[in-house]
């Protein structure tokens, strides 16, 4: 392993791999990619279903196939991929960052002029959801479910309840069915399902009740799950016998490394605060992929990785605009998050803000400066699960941009 | 074969007692109904090694806590056991609480914890700058410390095993007779003969007395405590244990580091009838988080790593419920409510004294002069962990940096885990912020065929 790198990429999912590939293609000599798992590829490694890769490879691939393609491409471009390498510490130096890495052989250090964090996202755990009840075996996220199916070829239950109504929740049902398990119910706290409605034909065809406006009020079982009790929208309780619980969705960026590095974290996205170049609050550290926000597709993350790689290139070659001159985005009521959180103009880099809402909304999305002057506005009709793109507004006085939802008046 | 001592229950008290009697040269059988050690009350606590500054003066509890504390410090290096020297502050948040600090300080001095001192607001904030300035005054108790609440008992049991003690898991004591010489103890796994029985059954201590003695001298009233564990990023915010001014019933909600580099807030104190169900409640967990945020505002938005609940084996009276039945060679170490982690070694020594007094004559046991030690792997963050050493294989649990070697050694060790919980307590795998999102399937594969309660049901599930 070279001890001095131009760019160290941390995380070998779609975002990290595409960034490393792009950096090599653009002529950066020393690019190292560090992946803590035994193989690179990220989340798609365990997503045993299409559609992956349509835009990148013009082919319909399954997750594992897509992950293999990405890794093969990185190898063709001579990206050094170090698997089983976990970053455990950061030290800032004049010319860059020193990374402390645990490897199977022991501890190692490398220094890098720039670091790209691409550590991805995961689902909110049982603890993060503050779920009530006992703590039996068999309460797992979709990620663990997919890993059980992929690595073990068997599941820890036969009749689980699926919690969540996002796209990934449907994929959890697919995984269960492909392993011979029969989910007994699907429940979601929100009043309506979160993924597109026609997709719920699938659970209905399986005879799976989809209970919305419903939350878990008790989990029973020792040593394994034996039942959950749920409360419906009318306050009535219902006990569902089951032997497992899949907690799907409610993604949250895997930002532990970003926290360890002392970077500013946006409580709204849960990921590091970035500007439109993907630069975090430390000028040598960049971030890309689903670490930035929950959650986009693999294809999106792939393109984002490539885009941020170009900003890193520009930073190394000519320097990016001074970070202290950035406009800061503030999000108002009803907006779940917006990323990037800071913008430089004239800009380059990402040309849009990515937003999601907390509730369905039909009206104006506006960007105003500190004095209330309108900077930009867009008519939107959106729902929480949809991504909204707003062209980067130029910031006004006091470097402040306020985003808000305004009724059609 | 008739054993000298049969211990019922492998909680902190039973494990420490098994070690003590094994060191004395007694033949020991320990019978536990769970799949592993520490599967009852002892699995979930605040992990504070108490000085006893606020314990009832002159009580057996205080004596056992202080003896347990001293012995722990004495043996911990040989066993490779953790100690995080945090110190504690009993913080008064209002005038009424401030008025009580004098009495608490006086009690501490009476209990021979004389290194306590008073802090005013400025001194509190100098020590803990992230604490809310609403803190008015505090009593500093420098020797309140934090430990790893599980590894010590693994070490004691491994030592006892090396000295010949026998352990039976998934074995429940259901009854028994004393014939004047020895007990025939009936279990779900057959009958065992032992001259003396020591009841360390925790939450079931009264039920065991009822079943074997015909009547119980106390009744257990479980008192639940819920906890929230914050992300590792929180641990830097407060180093000192933040204790409230206690009331009659409970020590109150504590904000405290863990040896593993997290910060926890809890426990609540909720009476309940059920002895098995230690459930969390969403509203209570939210209230704990709010409480933590009032104490340390920077905890706002801090991710939650884990939530859990434990049951204190409290009884109808506050003191420990210790009973000796000399005519029937019986000792109960019961009602070890909320200080058992600290007191365990002291209780074990106390049990030995009670035993000696009970049998009168000195038993013809041969104490082990130079006992073999059984160092356990270090899981605490304040000392080097396995991930920092060469040839660990690979990291399996990324959040807690648990290595393949650590998991393999735990599974193949002298006292392998009985279930996933036991493996988690031995290695910390799956205990971190993703709670097994990344590693659970791998750990299930590694532990296949090795756990009494398998992670994936055998044959059963798909
Ligand atoms: C359960 C689940 C199912 C999903 N299903 C789909 C789907 O069907 N289709 C879809 O398009 N998207 C899906 N997604 C979204 C998924 O996040 C994206 O597809 C994509 O994988 C994001 O790419 P990424 O590179 O940002 O992160 P990831 O793919 O998550 O890759 C991050 C990589 O970083 C590594 N890493 C993390 N921390 C460290 C560290 N400290 N040191 C070294 N390496 C580290 C991880 O091991 C991982 O390999 C799913 C997500 C989840 C969680
Ligand atoms: C919320 C909370 C916070 C606490 N914080 C602290 C702290 O910070 N510091 C401190 O010092 N102490 C603390 N404690 C106290 C400490 O955890 C307890 O005092 C201690 O765990 C009691 O241990 P035990 O061995 O008596 O009981 P247990 O751990 O319950 O052990 C009894 C064992 O007996 C077994 N058993 C029962 N019946 C039978 C049977 N019939 N046959 C076979 N086996 C049987 C059970 O399965 C169990 O494993 C706390 C406790 C709680 C609940």
């Amino acid at each position: 392993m070279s001890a001095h790198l131009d760019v160290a990429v941390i995380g070998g999912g779609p975002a990290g791999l595409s960034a490393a590939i792009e950096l090599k293609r653009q002529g950066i000599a020393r690019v190292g990619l560090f992946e803590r798992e035994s193989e690179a590829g990220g989340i798609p490694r365990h997503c045993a279903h299409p559609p992956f890769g349509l835009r990148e490879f013009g082919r319909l691939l399954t997750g594992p196939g897509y992950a293999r393609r990405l890794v093969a491409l990185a190898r063709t471009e001579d990206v050094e991929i170090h698997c089983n390498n976990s970053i455990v510490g950061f030290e800032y130096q004049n010319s860059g960052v020193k990374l402390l890495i645990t490897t199977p052989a022991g501890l190692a250090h490398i220094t890098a002029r720039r670091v790209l964090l691409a550590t991805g996202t995961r689902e909110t755990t049982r603890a993060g959801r503050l779920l009530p009840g006992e703590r039996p075996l068999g309460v797992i996220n979709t990620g663990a479910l997919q890993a059980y199916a992929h690595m073990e070829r068997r599941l820890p239950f036969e009749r689980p309840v699926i919690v969540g109504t996002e796209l990934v929740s449907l994929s959890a049902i697919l995984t269960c069915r492909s392993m011979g398990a029969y989910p007994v119910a699907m429940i979601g706290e929100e009043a309506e399902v979160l993924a597109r409605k026609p997709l719920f034909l699938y659970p209905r065809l399986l005879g799976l009740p989809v209970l919305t406006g419903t939350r878990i009020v008790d989990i029973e079982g020792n040593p394994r799950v034996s039942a959950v009790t749920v409360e419906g929208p009318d306050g009535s309780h219902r006990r569902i016998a089951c032997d497992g619980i899949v907690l799907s969705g409610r993604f949250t960026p895997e930002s532990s490394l970003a926290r360890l590095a002392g970077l500013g974290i946006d409580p709204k996205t849960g990921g590091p605060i970035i500007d439109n170049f993907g630069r975090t609050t430390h000028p040598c550290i960049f971030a890309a992929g689903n670490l930035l926000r929950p959650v986009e597709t693999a294809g999106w993350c792939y393109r984002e990785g490539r885009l941020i790689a170009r900003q890193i290139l520009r930073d190394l070659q000519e320097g990016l605009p001074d970070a202290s001159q950035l406009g800061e985005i503030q999000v108002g009521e009803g907006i779940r998050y917006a990323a990037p959180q800071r913008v430089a103009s004239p800009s380059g880099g990402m040309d849009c803000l990515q937003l999601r809402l907390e509730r369905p909304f039909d009206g104006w999305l506006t960007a105003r400066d500190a004095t209330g002057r309108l900077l930009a506005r867009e008519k939107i009709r959106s729902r929480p699960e949809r991504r909204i793109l707003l062209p980067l507004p130029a910031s006004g006085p006091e470097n402040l941009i306020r985003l808000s939802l305004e009724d059609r008046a | 074969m008739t054993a000298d001592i049969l211990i019922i229950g492998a909680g902190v008290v039973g494990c420490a007692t098994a070690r003590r009697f094994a060191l004395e040269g007694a033949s020991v059988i320990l019978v536990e109904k769970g799949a592993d050690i520490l599967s009852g009350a002892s699995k979930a606590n605040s992990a504070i090694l108490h000085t006893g500054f606020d314990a009832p003066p002159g009580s057996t509890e205080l004596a056992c806590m202080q003896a347990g504390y001293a012995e722990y410090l004495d043996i911990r290096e040989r066993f490779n056991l953790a100690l995080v020297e945090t110190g504690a502050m009993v913080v008064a948040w209002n005038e009424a609480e401030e008025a009580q600090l004098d009495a608490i300080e006086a009690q501490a001095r009476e209990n021979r914890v004389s290194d306590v001192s008073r802090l005013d607001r400025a001194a509190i904030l100098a020590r803990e700058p992230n604490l809310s300035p609403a803190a008015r005054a505090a009593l500093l108790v420098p020797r309140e410390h934090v430990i790893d609440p599980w590894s010590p008992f693994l070490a004691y049991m491994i030592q006892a095993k090396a000295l010949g003690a026998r352990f039976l898991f998934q074995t429940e004591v259901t009854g028994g007779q004393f014939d004047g010489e020895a007990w025939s103890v009936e279990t779900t796994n057959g009958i065992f003969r032992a001259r003396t029985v020591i009841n360390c059954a925790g939450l079931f201590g009264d039920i065991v007395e009822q079943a074997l003695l015909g009547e119980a001298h106390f009744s257990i009233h479980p008192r639940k405590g819920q906890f929230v564990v914050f992300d590792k990023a929180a641990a830097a915010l407060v180093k000192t244990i933040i204790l409230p001014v206690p009331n009659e019933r409970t020590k109150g909600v504590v904000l405290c580091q863990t040896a593993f580099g997290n910060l926890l807030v809890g426990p609540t104190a909720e009476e309940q009838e059920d002895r098995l169900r230690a459930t969390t409640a969403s509203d209570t967990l939210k209230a704990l988080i709010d409480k933590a945020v009032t104490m340390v505002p920077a905890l706002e938005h801090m991710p939650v790593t884990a939530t859990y609940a434990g049951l204190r084996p409290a009884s109808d009276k506050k003191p420990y419920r210790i009973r000796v039945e000399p005519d029937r060679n019986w000792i109960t170490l019961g009602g070890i409510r909320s200080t058992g982690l600290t007191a365990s070694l002291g209780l074990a020594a106390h049990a030995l004294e009670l035993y000696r007094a009970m049998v009168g004559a000195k038993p013809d046991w041969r104490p082990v002069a130079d006992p073999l030690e059984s160092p356990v792997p270090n899981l605490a963050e304040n000392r080097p962990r396995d991930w920092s050493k060469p040839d660990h294989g690979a990291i399996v649990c990324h959040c807690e940096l648990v290595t393949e070697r650590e998991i393999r050694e735990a599974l193949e060790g002298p006292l392998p885990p009985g279930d996933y919980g036991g493996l988690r307590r031995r290695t910390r795998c799956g205990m971190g912020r993703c709670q097994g999102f990344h590693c659970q399937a791998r750990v299930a594969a590694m532990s296949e065929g090795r756990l009494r309660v398998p992670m994936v049901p055998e044959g059963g599930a798909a």
Side-chain angles (χ1 to χ4, degrees), chain B residues 80 117 202 214 243 257 262 444:
Chain B
N80 196 29
S117 59
L243 301 170
Q257 300 235 3
N262 294 76

Side-chain angles (χ1 to χ4, degrees), chain A residues 10-16 34-37 39-45 47 49 51-52 85-87 118-123 142-143 146 168 171 251 254 257 288-291 295-299 301, chain B residues 398 437-438:
Chain A
I10 305 177
F34 299 88
E35 168 55 53
R36 62 187 187 180
E37 296 286 343
E39 51 182 22
I43 288 286
R45 286 178 310 135
C47 295
H49 52 75
F52 284 91
N85 272 232
S86 289
I87 310 300
T119 51
T121 180
R122 58 175 166 78
E123 297 158 288
T142 321
Q146 291 179 341
V168 66
S171 124
F251 291 94
E254 183 58 90
L257 213 51
N290 276 340
L291 165 65
V295 51
E296 298 292 349
T297 61
C301 295
Chain B
H398 299 297
F437 177 96
H438 293 293

Side-chain angles (χ1 to χ4, degrees), chain B residues 305-368:
Chain B
T305 290
T307 59
Y308 62 96
L311 299 178
R312 303 174 186 85
S315 75
D316 48 316
K317 297 204 185 101
K318 197 171 177 208
Y320 285 178
R321 308 309 289 272
I322 293 177
R323 171 186 192 176
V324 182
E325 282 286 312
D327 299 338
R328 287 188 278 180
N329 291 4
W330 179 278
I331 298 173
T332 292
L333 303 174
I336 315 299
R337 206 176 60 257
S338 55
T339 50
L341 180 69
T342 306
S344 53
L345 292 170
L347 272 160
H350 185 54
L352 181 62
E353 280 166 30
L354 294 173
Y355 175 85
R356 286 196 179 125
M358 178 170 77
V359 298
K362 212 171 141 49
D364 59 351
W365 301 336
R366 241 176 259 137
V368 188

Side-chain angles (χ1 to χ4, degrees), chain A residues 102 130 133-134 148 155 158 224, chain B residues 277 280 282 392 440 454 460 462:
Chain A
T102 169
L130 303 182
E134 293 181 90
Y148 266 112
L155 300 183
E158 289 177 321
R224 289 173 213 288
Chain B
R277 294 197 81 216
T280 51
S282 310
H392 58 59
Q440 195 184 113

Side-chain angles (χ1 to χ4, degrees), chain B residues 110-165:
Chain B
E110 185 178 353
N111 289 351
R112 297 187 317 280
V113 183
S114 35
D115 54 350
V116 295
S117 59
R118 291 290 276 274
L119 306 180
D120 61 11
R121 177 175 290 143
I124 294 173
L125 295 177
R127 188 179 166 106
E128 291 299 346
N130 291 306
L131 207 62
S132 157
R136 294 172 64 98
L139 182 72
L140 179 70
V141 191
R143 286 180 301 112
E144 292 275 303
H145 295 326
V146 165
I147 63 175
D148 165 350
W150 305 303
S151 300
F153 303 92
L154 181 65
Y156 306 160
M157 290 291 271
I158 292 173
Q159 186 180 49
K161 186 173 182 187
L163 295 169

Side-chain angles (χ1 to χ4, degrees), chain B residues 97-436:
Chain B
E97 288 177 356
E98 190 172 352
Q100 291 181 58
L101 289 182
D102 280 342
I104 299 171
E105 181 172 355
Q107 185 175 357
R109 294 190 189 282
E110 185 178 353
N111 289 351
R112 297 187 317 280
V113 183
S114 35
D115 54 350
V116 295
S117 59
R118 291 290 276 274
L119 306 180
D120 61 11
R121 177 175 290 143
I124 294 173
L125 295 177
R127 188 179 166 106
E128 291 299 346
N130 291 306
L131 207 62
S132 157
R136 294 172 64 98
L139 182 72
L140 179 70
V141 191
R143 286 180 301 112
E144 292 275 303
H145 295 326
V146 165
I147 63 175
D148 165 350
W150 305 303
S151 300
F153 303 92
L154 181 65
Y156 306 160
M157 290 291 271
I158 292 173
Q159 186 180 49
K161 186 173 182 187
L163 295 169
R166 287 173 62 202
F167 313 137
L168 295 135
F169 294 103
Q170 292 179 314
T171 304
E172 181 172 355
V173 172
T174 51
Q177 277 81 42
F178 182 67
D179 63 10
E181 284 274 303
W183 278 92
S184 296
V185 177
E186 294 152 13
T187 77
T188 49
N189 242 337
I191 296 179
F192 297 91
R193 294 270 296 165
R195 274 177 278 280
T196 298
V197 170
I198 306 182
N199 169 12
C200 305
L203 290 158
F204 294 82
D206 53 344
I207 291 178
V208 164
E209 278 198 355
Q210 185 72 46
L212 278 83
L213 298 179
E215 36 86 38
H217 87 290
F218 67 120
S219 57
I220 290 288
H221 299 284
R223 193 177 295 153
K224 181 166 79 179
Q226 301 187 45
F227 292 94
V228 171
V229 180
F230 290 105
D231 191 86
K232 285 192 179 344
L237 296 176
V238 241
K239 296 298 179 188
T240 313
I241 303 168
I242 307 299
L243 301 170
V245 170
N247 61 32
E248 247 314 287
R249 214 165 49 90
T250 143
K251 287 180 181 298
V253 172
V254 174
L255 197 61
C256 170
Q257 300 235 3
T258 71
F260 317 112
N262 294 76
L263 187 75
L264 65 75
V265 60
T268 55
E270 306 162 60
E271 316 283 337
Q272 67 176 48
E273 286 299 307
D274 198 303
R275 297 166 191 245
L276 288 173
R277 294 197 81 216
T279 57
T280 51
S282 310
D283 294 345
T284 315
L285 298 172
K286 277 194 205 101
L288 282 173
I289 294 172
D290 290 346
K291 176 132 200 176
V293 173
T294 6
M295 292 192 266
V296 177
L299 284 172
E300 176 122 54
H301 304 303
M302 185 59 70
V304 169
T305 290
T307 59
Y308 62 96
L311 299 178
R312 303 174 186 85
S315 75
D316 48 316
K317 297 204 185 101
K318 197 171 177 208
Y320 285 178
R321 308 309 289 272
I322 293 177
R323 171 186 192 176
V324 182
E325 282 286 312
D327 299 338
R328 287 188 278 180
N329 291 4
W330 179 278
I331 298 173
T332 292
L333 303 174
I336 315 299
R337 206 176 60 257
S338 55
T339 50
L341 180 69
T342 306
S344 53
L345 292 170
L347 272 160
H350 185 54
L352 181 62
E353 280 166 30
L354 294 173
Y355 175 85
R356 286 196 179 125
M358 178 170 77
V359 298
K362 212 171 141 49
D364 59 351
W365 301 336
R366 241 176 259 137
V368 188
D370 189 352
L372 24 151
E373 305 296 352
S374 39
V376 281
N378 168 52
L379 303 180
E381 289 282 308
N382 64 349
R383 286 186 305 153
R385 299 245 331 261
D386 197 47
W387 59 261
S388 64
K389 297 169 191 164
D391 303 321
H392 58 59
I395 303 292
V396 175
C397 165
H398 299 297
C399 304
E400 295 296 313
L401 295 173
V402 182
T403 68
E404 199 175 287
R405 176 169 58 195
E406 284 176 300
I407 293 177
R408 215 179 42 240
E409 287 179 356
L411 289 166
E412 293 167 1
L415 193 70
D419 54 16
Y420 182 44
L423 182 59
R424 286 159 59 107
R425 294 193 285 274
R426 278 169 185 71
T427 61
R428 296 210 44 77
C429 70
M431 295 264 218
R433 41 174 84 84
C434 89
Q435 293 282 303

Side-chain angles (χ1 to χ4, degrees), chain A residues 44-64:
Chain A
R45 286 178 310 135
H46 296 162
C47 295
H49 52 75
F52 284 91
L54 267 181
R55 290 241 221 142
E56 302 87 304
F57 301 116
R59 286 186 52 186
L60 197 60
L61 299 169
T62 64

